[in-house]
Amino acid sequence: MVDLTTQIGSLTLKNPIMPASGTFSEELAQLFDLECLGAHVTKTITREKRSGNPTPRVCEVRGSMLNSIGIPSKGLDAFKANVIPFYERYSAPLIVSISAGSADEFASLCEDISVPGVAAIEVNISCPNIEEDGKAFAMRPSTTYAVMQKLRQATDLPLWAKLTPNTGETTEVAKAAEEAGADALVVSNTLLAMAIDIHTRRPKLGNLMGGLSGPAFKPIALRMAYQCAKSVNIPVIGCGGISTVEDVIEYLIAGAVAVQIGTATFLEPKIMVRMIDGLDAYLKSQGFQTVGQLVGSVEDEEASDGLVFMEAAP
Amino acid sequence: MVDLTTQIGSLTLKNPIMPASGTFSEELAQLFDLECLGAHVTKTITREKRSGNPTPRVCEVRGSMLNSIGIPSKGLDAFKANVIPFYERYSAPLIVSISAGSADEFASLCEDISVPGVAAIEVNISCPNIEEDGKAFAMRPSTTYAVMQKLRQATDLPLWAKLTPNTGETTEVAKAAEEAGADALVVSNTLLAMAIDIHTRRPKLGNLMGGLSGPAFKPIALRMAYQCAKSVNIPVIGCGGISTVEDVIEYLIAGAVAVQIGTATFLEPKIMVRMIDGLDAYLKSQGFQTVGQLVGSVEDEEASDGLVFMEAAP
Amino acid sequence: MSVVTFPKSPVQTEMTPVFEVSCTVKRNDPVNGEYRQLVLYAPQSILDCAPGQFFHLLCPITEQLQPFLRRPMSIYGFYPEKGELHFLYKVTGEGTSALATLTAGQSLNVLGPLGHGFDILPDWQNLLLVARGVGLATLAPLALQAHRLGRNLTAICSARSEDMLMSLDYFRDLGAEIIPITDDNGSSDMANLRHIIEAKIADTGIDAMYTCGSNRILKLLQTLGEIHNIPGQIALEQQMACGIGMCQCCVRAFRRDGKTVNERVCREGPVFDLQEAIGW
Amino acid sequence: MSVVTFPKSPVQTEMTPVFEVSCTVKRNDPVNGEYRQLVLYAPQSILDCAPGQFFHLLCPITEQLQPFLRRPMSIYGFYPEKGELHFLYKVTGEGTSALATLTAGQSLNVLGPLGHGFDILPDWQNLLLVARGVGLATLAPLALQAHRLGRNLTAICSARSEDMLMSLDYFRDLGAEIIPITDDNGSSDMANLRHIIEAKIADTGIDAMYTCGSNRILKLLQTLGEIHNIPGQIALEQQMACGIGMCQCCVRAFRRDGKTVNERVCREGPVFDLQEAIGW
Ligand SMILES: Cc1cc2nc3c(=O)[nH]c(=O)nc-3n(C[C@H](O)[C@H](O)[C@H](O)COP(=O)(O)OP(=O)(O)OC[C@H]3O[C@@H](n4cnc5c(N)ncnc54)[C@H](O)[C@@H]3O)c2cc1C
Ligand SMILES: Cc1cc2nc3c(=O)[nH]c(=O)nc-3n(C[C@H](O)[C@H](O)[C@H](O)COP(=O)(O)OP(=O)(O)OC[C@H]3O[C@@H](n4cnc5c(N)ncnc54)[C@H](O)[C@@H]3O)c2cc1C
Ligand SMILES: Cc1cc2nc3c(=O)[nH]c(=O)nc-3n(C[C@H](O)[C@H](O)[C@H](O)COP(=O)(O)O)c2cc1C
Ligand SMILES: Cc1cc2nc3c(=O)[nH]c(=O)nc-3n(C[C@H](O)[C@H](O)[C@H](O)COP(=O)(O)O)c2cc1C
Ligand code: FES
Ligand code: FES
């Protein structure tokens, strides 16, 4: 028997596979028993009702997709009334993703969502906010630190900080989140990108630009997950382009203790179930007793800090 | 007859298609007459001889590739003795790409390479340098400005600044390069990424990480080219993932006055020739007289500055 | 608004099963220049469908065509008795071109049945269906269902030209009254269409109207529905990523209780109340 | 070093044409469990090859397999008279698995001929070739060339087991003397191989040695070359992106004039001087 459990701070997950925020909802229960997942992660919510971005909200690019869903939200009250109770039937921990336009609003939402039924809070600090010229908090170490500190004071629940790949300061931001008290990092959100329809000459997304996710994004997010795992002592949850069990294994080897699956679920709704089985089979075949033995097992002994933390391609 | 010429500052190119640095060399003349290209762009050289990074230097990822070639260089003298004379047989302008570890060395190389036969200098400010903690100059507006100013003083030749996608400050860096006197921007170099072989658990590149190029990278580089074209008044040369004539058209619509083709040449060595023909045919079919009519024709009237210059995915 | 809006049938329950399965292609033949009919051998489990529902197809990857997302496709026919699932599709871009490459014996991964289909309330005897182009694909199973339930159906089928009119025999075999109209002979213009429908209302009466796809037809039916107090439904389209309600990319705006609300085409739809729909 | 290093044949001139063409597959059959032989109908233009040169193949894209870069493959045989180009390959990963899906009539885009092949200098009468595994693919056309030039060739063919020994008939038909050695019966160990070669040197003498692929064989031949003053060549492999000399990804280090120099396997190679090669 292989032990698939993984530890994220004080939380024990029965396996390291969970969905990514915005690519999962109650409806997936129509396809398989959600109980099997390591955790449940909900779409980012805001306190107020919001309708999200104009359509088209998704488009495809070679081997991947862009989205500019934005954060349509039914609001905090509706979320507490309908969504949290739905997940109570499961023992898998419920992770709630939240966002807000300012650090104070963020903290107050964080406080108000710290209710029974919620196991941890994922803070989406990687979408544009109204302070700081609309830059996402996670673009800079200073703003990351500032917002994370307020969030830390607002809740006793574990706080997962979700980073953005759009920054040029990945490791600095990761360290700032850790210092400010984050319990884990989710690495990462989508990368800003664009596509234009050459027939109409219009941007393919109603919102002009959007976030790249899916296979094309994997080598970038994997690099970030690796860099973060090397630079902080809190657990890193890998996220970006994971489509196969081999991808899961690659992230774990790179140092992630768990992974989130996004876009792949759109193509294969039961992919997470297959990944759990596949990971189990792989560990068995390699003679591992625990998934932890795989985590961070990358053979990079010789690599200097200069390489590990480089910020531009050589 | 369609007019394919495009203007990059004082230089007139007979068409907007040219190779990207590091993905082109004299050997390509074995496949077609290089005269047909808009310009010739050579692999980045340094003053001193260098051997480049350890192998393996390339690997493939889903639908794209990573490279960590580094800058192996035969040095300035060999370059002047062998490479520049080779290109003298062509009327297409020769663009020489250079790099150096410090701003002063950069400027002095720039001065020494400003010789007859060279039509413009592309400055690769996007690879790690020895000043500033190894960060590439183009990671920050301040370092971009500093190095570009020195380079500007070192030559009268047109200066093209090659930007990096690894920064979180694309438009600020673009503006800094413009202010410091760049004649054009090349947008952009490769994006830092990583891949691990799950069987050996070793990084797939000898240098641990490398740059993502090819189709997967296109939506990111296109977004940057669009943002740069919106934020500066100097010409933008698009580069990143261009594999088909449709991709060329997409970049031109986004605002690039010309494009560079990299990885695609590895798969289809004659792709640039096909793109020139294809662009001509497309313009004819659309009733355009000049390629200039296509440039920047993206239908984005409604988009606010907030959208155009956003730095994280919504 | 004075008009009765369509009584919503009970919302699909959270746990209605949805299946992701590989089906074998029985055939995939051109219907005319632009359309193809795809027939799959399908397991019983996925054939418990309602007209108006759709499947989300994982189109094949070929040397030339590499669609990424799934493609939503209305159920053109579902036949539990013979274990078949039919689609009628128009070759438009990368995904449908890839679909068109499928040959008998190959397999296709389908996800479904998805969405909220058409309703036929017990007291609706006279049904009117106005379909244009590929809209026929969406409305065809409604005709079958009407036939099964013993209702009277009038199908107004609109197309550019005579030879683009598809499925007339299909509707005829189901005992529907067919009224073909075309752009070529001018019979498809809105004035004539209105004339035809009002004549029908005056004659046998119409208890419910169904349509999809055309903005002008939507407007006309909304007007007629309001004037004559006839409920109706429309099937709508939107870009889709997940197809099952997770990603929220497929929203459209609807008028409801004086407000504008966003609903997911894949989940609350693709069939919506005719009066709530907003033209595009 | 006292040994004569191999006199380099004139460097391929800048303008030697290289072609990118689509060829039609004639057949693509398994040779044994791991290897396949691919036969293409090829235009004359690309069949002006030298033994040791290679082509860079754009492997097909299928539903399951999506190789990105081209894959380098030695010319196993080139036959201008019948317009054929042959490859012998081992199915290892994504690219070669995709190659293995090709069937007669399909097309394959090839780039070449590329690189610097083997040399057979005028005064070399007795040639020795030591090949193992897929190395046979690379050395086979050398046998053909030797045959065409009327030289004597001894081919020592090494493999894991008897049934993995390929192309013996091919070599035999070309009049070569074949010495099969296998791991199974222990005959392939280095001591025995050395013994065989030294016997051959003592008997008829050897004017040049050719090999590829195995580090241990390289070391042995370097030693024997040095002792007996016999020149030699080795074909090397390295990851390749462009295949024609542009990207500099395919470099390997060589010993030359007491220094270590990097050379591009695709351009200065894939055939290099035996003594300059550095083991791996
Ligand atoms: C519920 C529903 C049922 C449908 N039923 C049918 C049917 O029975 N027969 C039929 O021919 N077509 C139907 N369509 C439209 C069909 O989904 C599109 O024609 C198809 O997705 C086009 O894909 P493509 O790659 O060929 O075209 P492209 O234009 O290359 O597609 C690019 C992207 O846009 C999306 N897209 C393009 N057009 C549409 C559209 N009209 N609706 C939604 N997404 C679109 C694609 O899914 C893809 O993601 C239906 C759409 C929906 C939403
Ligand atoms: C000049 C030359 C001639 C060759 N001739 C033959 C031949 O005749 N028959 C034969 O079976 N093989 C030959 N090889 C090796 C062959 O190129 C590789 O086996 C093949 O590229 C593996 O691709 P893959 O996708 O199946 O394997 P993967 O392991 O999935 O390949 C991953 C990547 O690594 C590269 N790669 C893997 N192995 C090698 C290798 N040994 N050399 C270079 N690149 C590699 C691939 O090209 C690809 O880019 C030759 C290699 C070179 C350089
Ligand atoms: C349609 C869509 C909606 C998303 N919504 C959110 C969101 O609300 N909050 C968030 O933190 N990330 C959101 N993401 C980002 C994903 O959680 C994930 O970080 C990203 O897609 C990369 O993973 P992937 O490549 O596996 O999809 C969204 C992604 C997609 C594709
Ligand atoms: C193998 C390889 C080597 C490269 N070498 C250089 C270089 O020396 N200097 C440079 O500025 N860019 C270099 N680049 C980056 C390319 O010029 C180009 O910016 C990048 O590959 C994106 O374009 P593409 O997606 O079309 O390849 C290199 C890229 C590759 C793939
Ligand atoms: S397509 Fe994802 S919610 Fe409708
Ligand atoms: S493969 Fe590009 S230089 Fe050899």
Side-chain angles (χ1 to χ4, degrees), chain C residues 41-52:
Chain C
Y41 294 111
Q44 289 301 319
S45 55
I46 69 170
L47 292 175
D48 184 11
C49 308

Side-chain angles (χ1 to χ4, degrees), chain B residues 50-68:
Chain B
R50 290 161 52 120
S51 60
N53 288 325
T55 56
R57 291 180 172 184
V58 295
C59 71
E60 60 178 57
V61 290
R62 179 58 60 227
S64 276
M65 65 175 283
L66 309 186
N67 89 81
S68 62

Side-chain angles (χ1 to χ4, degrees), chain D residues 3 7 25 69 90 151 199 206 218 227 256:
Chain D
V3 67
V25 175
L69 296 169
K90 184 172 169 184
R151 313 297 167 92
I206 292 175
L218 165 63
I227 295 173
R256 185 176 303 154

Side-chain angles (χ1 to χ4, degrees), chain A residues 3-130:
Chain A
D3 179 3
L4 286 183
T5 61
T6 193
Q7 198 69 29
I8 303 185
S10 55
L11 272 183
T12 304
L13 272 47
K14 66 169 115 27
N15 66 60
I17 313 284
M18 68 183 106
S21 175
T23 63
F24 176 74
S25 68
E26 299 87 290
E27 283 87 356
L28 201 55
Q30 294 176 300
L31 276 122
F32 64 90
D33 182 0
L34 303 184
E35 184 61 272
C36 72
L37 300 174
H40 299 148
V41 184
T42 55
K43 166 89 184 161
T44 302
I45 57 156
T46 54
R47 176 183 297 277
E48 68 289 0
K49 277 197 187 179
R50 289 163 51 121
S51 60
N53 286 325
T55 54
R57 290 179 174 186
V58 296
C59 70
E60 61 178 57
V61 291
R62 180 55 62 226
S64 276
M65 66 174 284
L66 310 185
N67 89 80
S68 62
I69 307 287
I71 318 275
S73 170
K74 294 224 149 77
L76 175 63
D77 296 336
F79 185 82
K80 282 200 206 165
N82 303 320
V83 182
I84 297 179
F86 173 88
Y87 289 100
E88 268 159 13
R89 71 193 76 174
Y90 302 108
S91 72
L94 178 66
I95 319 298
V96 172
S97 170
I98 61 170
S99 182
S102 73
D104 288 330
E105 284 163 37
F106 219 140
S108 103
L109 176 58
C110 184
E111 190 173 343
D112 293 346
I113 200 74
S114 299
V115 295
V118 177
I121 299 175
E122 182 174 294
V123 290
N124 180 355
I125 55 174
S126 33
C127 56
N129 69 89
I130 56 170

Side-chain angles (χ1 to χ4, degrees), chain B residues 280-291:
Chain B
D280 185 75
Y282 169 83
L283 292 170
K284 275 201 191 92
S285 76
Q286 301 292 305
F288 284 110
Q289 272 86 51
T290 69
V291 72

